[in-house]
Amino acid sequence: MEVLNNITTTSLLLIFLLPVIITLIVFFRQAVGLRGFGIDVPLLLSYSFIIIGPIFGIILLIVSLVLSNAFYYFFKNTKLLHLPKVGLIIILTSFCIGLLGILFPYYLINISLSGILAVIFILSLTERFFSLRTHTSFWENIVYIVTISFIAIISYLLFSIEVLRAVILTYPLLVLVFCVIAVLLLGNWSGLRIAEYYRFKEVAKNK
Amino acid sequence: MTLKDYDTILGINERNLRYVGEYNAPRFIRTANNKIATKKLLGEAGISVPETYLIIRRRETLASLDAAALQNSFVIKPNKGFGGMGVLIVYAKKKGVDGVWVKSNRNKITMVDIKNHIMDILDGTYSLAQKQDSAFFEERIKLLPIFKPLAYRGIPDIRVIVFNRVPVMAELRLPTKESNGKANLHLGGIGVGIDMANGITTNAIQHDQLIDYIPETRTLLAGFRIPSWKKILETAIAAQTMSSLGYAGVDIALDRDKGPMVLEVNARPGLAIQIANLSGLRDRLERIKGLKVKTIDQGVRLAQDLFGGEIEQELEEISGKKIVGVITTIMITQNALNKELRAKLDTGAYFSSIDRELADSLGLNQFKRTVKVKSSLGEEERDLVDVNFILDGRPINTQFSLAERGNLRFPVIIGRRDLRGFLVDPKKLH
């Protein structure tokens, strides 16, 4: 009973956390001016970090990116259509990650069924990386990965604040209303984003 | 630098809320994002666009595509691509070999490569959200020779932001080695600010940072005069009007033979143009809001008068001399007349002169002396009378010679003697 109770609490907490994380993502984009992401990817990465822990999450992200980039260069000049090529890269990367899991089973012990979903999500981020790749440069993609990881880490840190968890569980409606108001305000805010103060500094200087 | 200095700058939030959101209806944004539809719309309105050779919407059409059906030189574009992605520029057919072409980077490309590329376009590799797309072949724009030192293996284009039928800001976009011959800024292209009055380049940026020269060269980016400037502004206004977007970024390329051509119309033009011009868009847009601009001519004039002339001001500051056009208006202040007259500046003449009859009617008859004046007709004697007048804000006390100018277009000629402290720019319009 105790266990069941515990699981329900965590599930509730994770559900009620959703509006908080979304508000955070909207804030980083509209007010801070971080760019290049939607809601979906940082949201899923945030939950992935919360489920499997940020350290393991980041290690997994880095390893899969290094591997997939190596495969990308290997297949770069083969005449394959785009999607099959990316598919091949993800298959090989997953396979290698699986092998690493067998070699270092310690890391896999703590991964639950929901954790596997998080691992698969992180692996599938590889596709984003290469789809972006046809549009943007390598470094822009690195910036993208760092940005969404940063947001996911902040989400994880928020989740780990005891007081916030208590507030979310005790007053979920209040938190919801707060988030809706915050998103509405952000959606109507026409001021410069923080990053734009840096971006346009020469223009302001010249005035 | 204070927060107030940022008042003139347009940020992404404000652009989307106050301009794209308010002036660009979704159905017109959809048309603008559809290059084939936009070209058709503009072409039918008589606006010059690159000719479309062939449109491929389905895989079946692609399968039956024959090398013989293709031109020697063409560009393949994804219909709903953005930021120059998926654009393939094919320069020429390889001589003596069938089904092989040469790309802008001089690499060879075969029919199989072309089909693979189009297949990727159809699969949506280059469209937003990876939706299925169409591909089209279009005429390759030919480089204007004067752009050769500026553009690296590609065609520069001019982005003009037009709001409410007034061009508010413009930027010359140059392909570079880094951008692989494409003129898109986020691929590493160079953006160069333009003085709206005369089409002269001002400052330049690459990756949002100010630069003076084209990387790895000593080619200065400022001070370049873009040809057909007025025609470019007119084309931009016409394209914005036809697109039904209130706020649009019109991309125009200059073809060697055909002149300004609209490449595409952007419903959400980027904001880096403000850095290239070292000037804020917000301020300029506010000044245009609510104006009723009836004709294209009026739009061009507003743009040139409101958002130009900085270069000229700078020159005047450096030289301490005023820049005047050949034809100008002077004000005679002699005898407290305050009479405005059209005058022609003539650096071939020493003395200024005025029509005798006009001088009489104005009471300019304080005789000074007689001088000998040489002209193409020989030497003649003329009377000099005292005249005080104002040229471009500067009072000048001098003498005019009296001449028979009744049958000439300008009753007054201003000669060298009264042009000290001025620079004459034959292109400056009054």
Side-chain angles (χ1 to χ4, degrees):
Chain A
M1 194 63 208
E2 165 87 285
V3 174
L4 188 68
N5 204 11
N6 228 346
I7 289 172
T8 328
T9 313
T10 312
S11 302
L12 276 179
L13 189 61
L14 285 175
I15 289 169
F16 291 146
L17 189 67
L18 192 95
V20 179
I21 297 180
I22 291 178
T23 308
L24 188 79
I25 294 167
V26 173
F27 173 80
F28 273 118
R29 204 170 135 150
Q30 299 302 124
V32 178
L34 299 184
R35 288 198 292 176
F37 51 84
I39 303 249
D40 51 354
V41 176
L43 183 68
L44 286 170
L45 194 65
S46 296
Y47 275 101
S48 302
F49 280 14
I50 287 170
I51 292 166
I52 60 173
I55 295 173
F56 180 59
I58 284 174
I59 290 173
L60 188 65
L61 191 59
I62 291 172
V63 171
S64 62
L65 282 180
V66 169
L67 284 172
S68 56
N69 268 287
F71 288 125
Y72 173 82
Y73 276 101
F74 189 74
F75 291 115
K76 200 177 171 186
N77 293 321
T78 51
K79 277 181 185 168
L80 273 177
L81 290 178
H82 177 76
L83 203 71
K85 197 190 276 183
V86 174
L88 191 64
I89 290 170
I90 298 181
I91 289 173
L92 293 170
T93 307
S94 316
F95 181 72
C96 292
I97 298 273
L99 275 184
L100 286 175
I102 294 167
L103 290 175
F104 305 101
Y106 167 79
Y107 291 106
L108 290 181
I109 288 169
N110 290 324
I111 292 185
S112 57
L113 208 55
S114 57
I116 289 299
L117 216 55
V119 171
I120 289 173
F121 173 70
I122 289 177
L123 276 169
S124 73
L125 269 183
T126 312
E127 192 204 346
R128 289 256 166 187
F129 198 87
F130 292 110
S131 301
L132 284 172
R133 193 62 185 272
T134 44
H135 299 301
T136 51
S137 74
F138 177 79
W139 285 111
E140 280 173 291
N141 291 338
I142 294 294
V143 169
Y144 170 75
I145 294 293
V146 170
T147 310
I148 57 172
S149 306
F150 171 74
I151 295 173
I153 289 169
I154 300 279
S155 303
Y156 173 83
L157 291 176
L158 273 181
F159 178 77
S160 60
I161 298 172
E162 201 68 46
V163 182
L164 189 74
R165 280 157 51 158
V167 170
I168 288 173
L169 276 179
T170 329
Y171 309 105
L173 201 64
L174 196 73
V175 172
L176 185 75
V177 170
F178 169 82
C179 289
V180 169
I181 290 174
V183 170
L184 280 176
L185 286 177
L186 284 166
N188 262 303
W189 190 56
S190 67
L192 289 180
R193 299 172 179 181
I194 291 168
E196 287 176 330
Y197 282 97
Y198 173 76
R199 186 181 183 206
F200 295 124
K201 63 180 189 305
E202 295 293 340
V203 184
K205 237 187 252 172
N206 192 56
K207 200 196 147 191
Chain B
M1 200 169 35
T2 62
L3 283 186
K4 236 184 140 24
D5 293 332
Y6 285 91
D7 277 357
T8 60
I9 295 165
L10 186 71
I12 295 176
N13 291 340
E14 190 171 13
R15 177 197 66 187
N16 292 350
L17 267 176
R18 306 267 176 271
Y19 293 95
V20 178
E22 264 179 49
Y23 296 95
N24 295 353
R27 66 196 167 109
F28 299 130
I29 296 180
R30 269 198 299 280
T31 311
N33 289 344
N34 185 331
K35 293 196 181 80
I36 296 172
T38 302
K39 274 173 58 169
K40 191 157 173 275
L41 180 78
L42 299 183
E44 282 168 2
I47 299 166
S48 176
V49 290
E51 190 189 333
T52 308
Y53 293 144
L54 189 63
I55 300 171
I56 296 184
R57 299 184 197 275
R58 307 145 165 275
R59 285 157 170 264
E60 299 88 80
T61 331
L62 180 61
S64 60
L65 181 67
D66 184 42
L70 300 184
Q71 264 75 7
N72 287 341
S73 165
F74 51 83
V75 181
I76 301 173
K77 288 182 176 175
N79 186 31
K80 293 179 180 173
F82 57 95
M85 293 298 156
V87 175
L88 181 71
I89 302 162
V90 175
Y91 237 70
K93 225 171 205 158
K94 188 143 176 68
K95 283 199 184 89
V97 199
D98 258 358
V100 180
W101 285 264
V102 184
K103 282 198 287 185
S104 53
N105 59 10
R106 289 172 202 156
N107 287 349
K108 272 185 277 180
I109 183 164
T110 64
M111 198 60 197
V112 177
D113 297 325
I114 287 175
K115 283 192 175 180
N116 271 344
H117 184 76
I118 294 174
M119 191 68 93
D120 275 344
I121 292 178
L122 297 184
D123 281 346
T125 310
Y126 307 104
S127 74
L128 271 177
Q130 314 221 340
K131 280 197 195 128
Q132 288 208 350
D133 200 2
S134 310
F136 62 97
F137 288 74
E138 76 174 15
E139 166 187 7
R140 181 176 65 83
I141 299 217
K142 289 182 277 319
L143 185 67
L144 208 60
I146 56 156
F147 278 133
K148 255 179 201 156
L150 296 180
Y152 183 89
R153 287 185 191 170
I155 299 292
D157 64 26
I158 295 139
R159 157 75 54 91
V160 186
I161 303 226
V162 188
F163 175 55
N164 188 21
R165 305 193 82 189
V166 181
V168 286
M169 203 175 266
E171 174 186 50
L172 173 67
R173 307 188 308 165
L174 301 172
T176 60
K177 204 169 176 178
E178 186 185 339
S179 76
N180 206 0
K182 285 171 188 162
N184 301 82
L185 291 205
H186 71 266
L187 299 178
I190 296 173
V192 195
I194 302 173
D195 189 298
M196 295 301 280
N198 42 34
I200 295 178
T201 58
T202 54
N203 324 283
I205 52 164
Q206 190 179 31
H207 296 298
D208 283 3
Q209 303 297 315
L210 288 164
I211 54 171
D212 289 328
Y213 301 95
I214 293 176
E216 298 173 36
T217 71
R218 294 269 91 185
T219 311
L220 200 60
L221 286 157
F224 179 84
R225 187 189 281 269
I226 293 165
S228 320
W229 181 242
K230 207 167 161 222
K231 178 89 182 128
I232 290 170
L233 293 180
E234 288 165 1
T235 308
I237 298 172
Q240 181 246 330
T241 310
M242 275 318 292
S243 75
S244 303
L245 298 169
Y247 177 74
V250 182
D251 291 350
I252 295 173
L254 292 174
D255 184 79
R256 194 178 65 203
D257 307 320
K258 299 184 182 173
M261 282 184 158
V262 177
L263 297 179
E264 58 180 285
V265 178
N266 297 275
R268 221 176 266 105
L271 298 167
I273 190 170
Q274 299 177 102
I275 313 173
N277 281 284
L278 284 182
S279 177
L281 266 173
R282 186 171 191 253
D283 210 33
R284 295 189 179 192
L285 293 169
E286 290 289 336
R287 291 167 76 179
I288 297 300
K289 233 178 222 176
L291 286 185
K292 290 251 181 306
V293 183
K294 289 191 199 86
T295 62
I296 286 182
D297 261 2
Q298 202 182 354
V300 171
R301 270 204 310 279
L302 279 168
Q304 292 185 314
D305 290 348
L306 290 176
F307 310 127
E310 271 177 38
I311 294 258
E312 205 165 83
Q313 264 173 26
E314 259 174 50
L315 256 178
E316 287 179 351
E317 276 163 27
I318 295 167
S319 65
K321 294 185 176 176
K322 286 222 147 204
I323 294 169
V324 284
V326 171
I327 292 151
T328 186
T329 302
I330 62 164
M331 188 190 271
I332 307 280
T333 50
Q334 180 86 3
N335 307 341
L337 274 170
N338 289 347
K339 166 90 178 162
E340 287 195 345
L341 289 176
R342 294 247 292 162
K344 189 172 164 190
L345 274 48
D346 182 0
T347 53
Y350 180 71
F351 288 107
S352 300
S353 66
I354 185 167
D355 179 54
R356 183 182 291 273
E357 222 169 284
L358 180 69
D360 275 348
S361 69
L362 294 174
L364 299 174
N365 47 18
Q366 277 127 311
F367 176 76
K368 198 81 180 172
R369 64 191 163 107
T370 309
V371 288
K372 283 183 178 163
V373 176
K374 277 185 199 160
S375 75
S376 52
L377 304 169
E379 207 175 67
E380 63 175 312
E381 288 207 341
R382 286 189 187 169
D383 296 340
L384 283 185
V385 294
D386 278 337
V387 177
N388 298 334
F389 73 101
I390 293 175
L391 174 56
D392 202 7
R394 278 195 193 173
I396 299 165
N397 302 325
T398 182
Q399 287 92 40
F400 279 7
S401 69
L402 300 178
E404 309 301 332
R405 302 191 56 81
N407 53 351
L408 296 172
R409 269 180 72 200
F410 300 97
V412 176
I413 286 281
I414 308 291
R416 287 198 303 281
R417 186 187 186 215
D418 302 325
L419 286 174
R420 290 176 195 132
F422 292 96
L423 294 172
V424 179
D425 176 1
K427 273 205 140 172
K428 182 171 175 174
L429 295 177
H430 175 64

